[in-house]
Every structure is written in structure tokens, then in C-alpha cells.
Amino acid sequence: MAKEWVYKTPGIPDEMFNQSDEVPGPTKEEIRVVTISKARLREGDTVIDVGCGTGGLTVEAALQVAPKGKVYAIDEDEAAIKLTTSNVEKFGVKGNVSIASGKAPQALLTLPNADAIIVGGGGGYLRAILQIASSKLKPNGRIVVNAILLETATLAIAELKELGFKDIDIAHISVAKGKQINSGTMMMARNPITIVSATKL
Ligand code: SAH
């Protein structure tokens, strides 16, 4: 299939992804850009995407680590697995992605060690997910947590400190997009997202 996204830069427009009312995502394009940048990905890297949803972050990460790298995408929801599979095919990164149905943290145990772990969903299991993620990260590996809830962000900060991560960074991203109305361009706010990232010692 012809490549849908021919650029090196992340930020695939949201509407290019196959989407479903049953599955959250994709993570909005500007949030994906910052998330991928915080993960500091290189060609050849191994990445784990916890809670892949629509596959927005999975696809963006795969494009960064291709041709040799690999993204392991997991989700507990079968509909998310199907949708991520369709988007991975759509964007031509099938060879760089391994998608597995499973619930974190348990599902993380069988995955290989990673250069970066992105947590886009974890339900109530964030603390345990971060503990296992920490043991899976290579030295200088990167963890990135996308939090919709303030409680998720504060828990991530506390747990990453506890686990001895260095350079903990908290970025709260608010994006407003311009919408054309009769009299001009109206800025429409999107939900702010807090991105907590850090480096494994
Ligand atoms: N980043 C994604 C959207 C993630 S939505 C994108 O760009 O498309 C969050 C996802 O996390 C949901 O699909 C949900 O099923 C999944 N999830 C939540 N808790 C989980 C857990 N403990 N284990 C696996 N998946 C989980």
C-alpha cells in the first residue's frame, strides 16, 4: 500500500485515522507530537504502547523507529486491537508493530525490554504499570505518561520519583483549534492533557 504519511515529523491529522465510536483516540495530533518528542525515539528503538486504543501513538512511534525498530502495542479491549491493526496497516507499519490483546500490568511481563514506554491508558493500575515499566526499561530509557486526570498526573510524578527516575518533566498542554465561522476564525479549546515524562537511571 502507498505510504499514507510520507513525512518524518509526527502529527498525522486526526481524521486520517480509521476511528470508531467504541474506542477512544486517536490521541489528538498536537498531543501526539509532544508525546512522541518526549519519548525521544530513534530509528531501531523498541517501544511499548500501553493502552493503544485507536493506534494513534502506536503508528506515530512505529514511523519513528522504522525500518528496524518495533512497537509492542497492548490493549485490554478487542475493539481497540482491531482498530489499531487497521491503522497500522493503513499507515504501512505492519512490519514494525506487534499488537497483543491483554491487560496491563500483567500483559507487560512477556514483552521485551524497551527504549521507551508510553502509557496512554492504564485505568486504575498506573502505579503497578509504572513499577513493571521501570523494570522493562533499558538504562536511559524513557517513560511518558499521558494524563487526562490531574490525579493520574500526580500519581505518575510521585511513583516515578519513588522508582528513582531522573529528569521528571511535567508539561500541561492546552490546544485550541481554529474553526471557520461566518465572521472569522473562532478558537475552540480542546481538553488539556498533562504529559509526565522521565528517564530511567
Ligand atoms: N493513545 C491512543 C488512545 C488511548 S485510549 C491513541 O492514540 O489512539 C486508552 C486505551 O487504554 C483504551 O483503549 C483502553 O481500553 C486502554 N486501557 C485502559 N486500561 C488498560 C489496561 N490496564 N491494560 C490495557 N489497556 C488498557
Side-chain angles (χ1 to χ4, degrees):
M1 185 189 282
K3 280 223 163 150
E4 290 264 341
W5 188 249
V6 297
Y7 311 101
K8 191 63 194 165
T9 44
I12 299 168
D14 296 339
E15 58 274 16
M16 282 181 75
F17 288 94
N18 296 326
Q19 298 186 34
S20 154
D21 290 341
E22 294 162 48
V23 180
T27 298
K28 296 282 185 282
E29 63 192 81
E30 289 80 8
I31 303 295
R32 266 184 275 119
V33 170
V34 179
T35 303
I36 293 297
S37 140
K38 296 290 181 189
R40 299 181 187 164
L41 302 179
R42 283 177 292 203
E43 205 178 306
D45 275 357
T46 300
V47 180
I48 300 174
D49 183 14
V50 183
C52 56
T54 298
L57 289 170
T58 297
V59 167
E60 298 270 19
L63 289 168
Q64 295 295 317
V65 304
K68 289 201 173 135
K70 190 111 185 170
V71 179
Y72 292 84
I74 63 164
D75 206 293
E76 61 181 346
D77 176 17
E78 281 303 328
I81 295 297
K82 278 202 190 114
L83 195 54
T84 294
T85 303
S86 81
N87 279 314
V88 160
E89 281 169 10
K90 184 169 199 252
F91 289 95
V93 285
K94 214 173 156 186
N96 302 97
V97 179
S98 164
I99 308 172
S101 171
K103 193 177 176 80
Q106 297 87 337
L108 293 173
L109 292 169
T110 52
L111 299 181
N113 287 348
D115 299 285
I117 300 181
I118 300 171
V119 185
Y125 304 92
L126 184 63
R127 192 186 296 271
I129 289 170
L130 293 179
Q131 286 165 1
I132 309 266
S134 173
S135 71
K136 287 276 163 194
L137 275 177
K138 299 178 190 174
N140 288 315
R142 297 281 296 166
I143 185 102
V144 184
V145 180
N146 279 3
I148 297 170
L149 304 180
L150 280 181
E151 287 81 359
T152 305
T154 48
L155 179 68
I157 296 162
E159 191 58 33
L160 291 174
K161 266 188 203 156
E162 182 77 26
L163 290 166
F165 275 78
K166 58 180 180 183
D167 303 332
I168 299 173
D169 176 89
I170 302 109
H172 190 70
I173 316 284
S174 293
V175 174
K177 299 281 281 190
K179 185 185 173 200
Q180 298 307 314
I181 58 171
N182 275 346
S183 47
T185 308
M186 182 178 169
M187 299 310 295
M188 307 280 286
R190 289 187 167 173
N191 295 342
I193 303 288
T194 308
I195 302 178
V196 180
S197 57
T199 302
K200 163 106 174 146
L201 265 180

